[in-house]
């Protein structure tokens, strides 16, 4: 018997019991090994079977008799990546899937019915089954607004139109089938996801330290590529290239970091994500380079207070995120509370899971700030939109979905006479009605400190040779 999954589950449970309610862990994070690939495949296939078993109930929820997908290699439906076997890396030939509600005709048959075909025989089989099944409402992934519900390629739609009777092609577009299916996690994932998140923290703690950064020599681009190499060394995949920035009033969150030599007194930021076991992370932390040449041993108080303000924004968002509430409702009530507390900032939260920008309700908008601040409006998640986010903002918060709480707070730092953005991002999950949301691993509540030159074993500073 392979006891590794059991040990990991137990370890995850013990870790959870020890850290529930703890937000910034007091001890250094550790790199956590995931199971060997063969064991990962077994786990992933078990998760897939559990998830697929829920689809008939999901079809009934939306009054759908059958859910039909057709795709080819290199033109897969986004849903396919969440229903495939762990050892599949592409859809073969033409792959057709028919999920059904197990009525009398199809009771006891596989669900879904699957064809892998390059002869055209699939269409004869499918016509016969649908005729006998007498399904009234067939769902096709043809939604024009939600990508996860719009994965039927035009070429496949044309083929279906030619092969199936017209009355069956008057199909239903129900994007919530894909949204709910992909977004809903299974019970066994949390322990492994927590291990993955701790590894991300360990990576950030190492990167934002004197072990990696030498002020005056190391650049932000150097640090980005250090992350890439470290991700690969941990047998993880990169979801998005790390973006490392020196934070200034002019630096804006976006798709690239800055290109700077890191120096004493710099406020640093990283935004990156990794992928493993079909799960993705998306994390943003900040760090400060101590002015050790001036005897500085901690960050200026203004920077410390900026992190606290961003933490308060996280609290406000989580207090408003009630299951069933729309993303727009959460956004607007959070902004109202921010205004009450005189907090200025921007919220752009999103679901995360099988995809780092996963299906579900988004919460994001550009904010209004005083005219004295020079603001541009752009960002990762719908930050170019007004207070109302069309379509995705009107989706409901789903309790069995992970959410990335992504935001920044503006804070005036007296020591620098500057207003800066304090940018944080962590992932949360729903615990229960009583306890609400909790962070998967923790959240940053204090700046990572780079203390160069490093100390030797006797505590004295090592001299830097020119």
């Amino acid at each position: 018997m392979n006891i590794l999954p059991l040990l990991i589950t137990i370890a995850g449970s013990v870790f959870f019991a020890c850290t529930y309610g703890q937000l910034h862990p007091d001890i250094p994070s550790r790199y956590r090994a995931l199971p060997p690939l063969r064991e990962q495949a077994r786990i992933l296939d078990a998760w897939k079977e559990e998830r697929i078993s829920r689809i008939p109930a999901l079809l009934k929820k939306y009054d759908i008799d059958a859910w039909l997908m057709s795709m080819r290699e290199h033109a897969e439906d986004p849903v396919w990546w969440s229903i495939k076997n762990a050892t599949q890396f592409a859809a073969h030939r033409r792959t057709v899937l028919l999920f059904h509600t197990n009525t009398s005709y199809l009771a006891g048959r596989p669900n879904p019915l699957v064809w892998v075909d390059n002869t055209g025989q699939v269409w004869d089989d499918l016509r016969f089954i649908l005729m006998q099944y007498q399904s009234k409402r067939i769902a096709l992934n043809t939604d024009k607004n939600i990508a996860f519900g719009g994965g039927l390629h035009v070429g496949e739609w044309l083929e279906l139109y030619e092969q199936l009777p017209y009355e069956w092609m008057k199909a239903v577009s129900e994007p919530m089938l894909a949204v709910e299916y992909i977004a809903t996690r299974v019970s066994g994932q949390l322990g492994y996801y927590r291990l993955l998140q701790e590894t991300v923290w360990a990576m950030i703690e190492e990167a934002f330290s004197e072990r990696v950064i030498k002020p005056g020599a190391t650049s932000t681009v150097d640090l980005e590529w250090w992350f890439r190499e470290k991700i690969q060394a941990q047998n993880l995949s990169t979801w998005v290239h790390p973006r490392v920035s020196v934070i200034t009033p002019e630096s804006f969150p976006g798709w690239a970091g800055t290109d700077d030599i890191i120096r004493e007194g710099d406020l640093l930021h990283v935004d990156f994500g990794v992928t493993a076991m079909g799960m993705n992370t998306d994390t943003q932390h900040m760090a400060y380079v101590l002015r050790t040449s001036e005897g500085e041993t901690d960050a200026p108080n203004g920077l410390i207070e900026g992190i606290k303000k961003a933490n308060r924004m996280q609290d406000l968002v989580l207090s408003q995120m009630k299951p069933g509430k729309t993303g727009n409702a959460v956004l607007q009530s959070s902004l109202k509370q921010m205004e009450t507390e005189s907090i200025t900032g921007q919220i752009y939260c999103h679901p995360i899971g099988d995809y780092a920008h996963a299906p579900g309700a988004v919460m994001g908008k550009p904010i209004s700030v005083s005219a004295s601040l020079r603001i541009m409006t752009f960002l990762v998640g719908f930050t170019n939109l007004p207070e109302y986010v069309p379509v995705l903002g009107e989706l409901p918060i789903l309790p069995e979905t992970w959410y990335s709480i992504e935001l920044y707070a503006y804070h005036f730092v007296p020591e620098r006479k500057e207003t800066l953005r304090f940018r944080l991002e962590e992932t949360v999950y729903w615990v229960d009605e009583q306890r609400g949301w909790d962070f998967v691993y923790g959240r940053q509540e204090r700046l990572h400190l780079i203390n160069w030159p490093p100390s030797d074993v006797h505590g004295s500073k090592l001299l830097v040779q020119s």
Side-chain angles (χ1 to χ4, degrees), residues 185-233:
R185 60 183 171 87
V186 296
S187 55
Q189 288 179 302
L190 181 58
Y192 293 98
Y193 197 33
R194 184 172 283 118
L195 297 179
L196 186 59
Q197 294 280 9
E198 183 176 3
T199 291
V200 167
W201 270 63
M203 205 175 297
I204 294 172
E205 289 170 9
E206 183 178 2
F208 282 155
S209 76
E210 56 275 12
R211 288 174 286 170
V212 176
I213 295 175
K214 179 181 177 180
T218 308
S219 72
T220 52
V221 175
D222 292 336
L223 202 54
E224 290 176 352
W225 286 103
W226 180 92
F227 273 107
R228 286 293 303 274
E229 295 287 351
K230 197 70 175 183
I231 290 168
Q232 183 165 300

Side-chain angles (χ1 to χ4, degrees), residues 189-296:
Q189 288 179 302
L190 181 58
Y192 293 98
Y193 197 33
R194 184 172 283 118
L195 297 179
L196 186 59
Q197 294 280 9
E198 183 176 3
T199 291
V200 167
W201 270 63
M203 205 175 297
I204 294 172
E205 289 170 9
E206 183 178 2
F208 282 155
S209 76
E210 56 275 12
R211 288 174 286 170
V212 176
I213 295 175
K214 179 181 177 180
T218 308
S219 72
T220 52
V221 175
D222 292 336
L223 202 54
E224 290 176 352
W225 286 103
W226 180 92
F227 273 107
R228 286 293 303 274
E229 295 287 351
K230 197 70 175 183
I231 290 168
Q232 183 165 300
Q234 296 300 312
N235 290 323
L236 307 174
S237 300
T238 300
W239 168 66
V240 63
H241 183 78
R243 303 186 288 268
V244 179
S245 303
V246 173
I247 297 295
T248 68
E250 290 75 31
S251 63
F252 294 95
W255 292 108
T258 60
D259 186 0
D260 296 298
I261 297 296
I262 297 171
R263 304 186 186 281
E264 286 190 351
D266 279 347
L267 181 64
L268 305 179
H269 170 267
V270 65
D271 181 1
F272 79 111
V274 303
T275 303
M277 295 185 70
M279 301 178 293
N280 295 272
T281 70
D282 198 359
T283 308
Q284 296 183 49
H285 278 203
M286 302 186 74
Y288 177 69
V289 186
L290 292 170
R291 298 180 186 274
T292 53
S293 62
E294 302 175 12
E296 193 174 50

Side-chain angles (χ1 to χ4, degrees), residues 319-333:
S319 71
Q320 300 300 322
M321 280 179 58
K322 307 298 182 185
K325 198 172 180 180
T326 67
N328 281 326
V330 173
L331 174 63
Q332 291 160 10
S333 57

Side-chain angles (χ1 to χ4, degrees), residues 99-148:
F99 289 95
H100 54 85
T101 53
N102 284 313
T103 56
S104 56
Y105 175 69
L106 289 175
R109 299 201 185 191
N111 199 352
L113 299 172
V114 180
W115 294 265
V116 178
D117 176 72
N118 63 355
T119 67
Q121 179 61 41
V122 58
W123 306 124
D124 291 336
D125 294 347
L126 187 58
R127 280 191 295 268
F128 180 80
I129 284 174
L130 291 177
M131 187 181 304
Q132 300 300 316
Y133 186 21
Q134 297 184 346
S135 52
K136 298 292 190 292
R137 287 169 56 84
I138 302 174
L140 295 177
N141 292 338
T142 57
D143 192 79
K144 65 180 182 180
N145 294 312
I146 299 177
F148 299 97

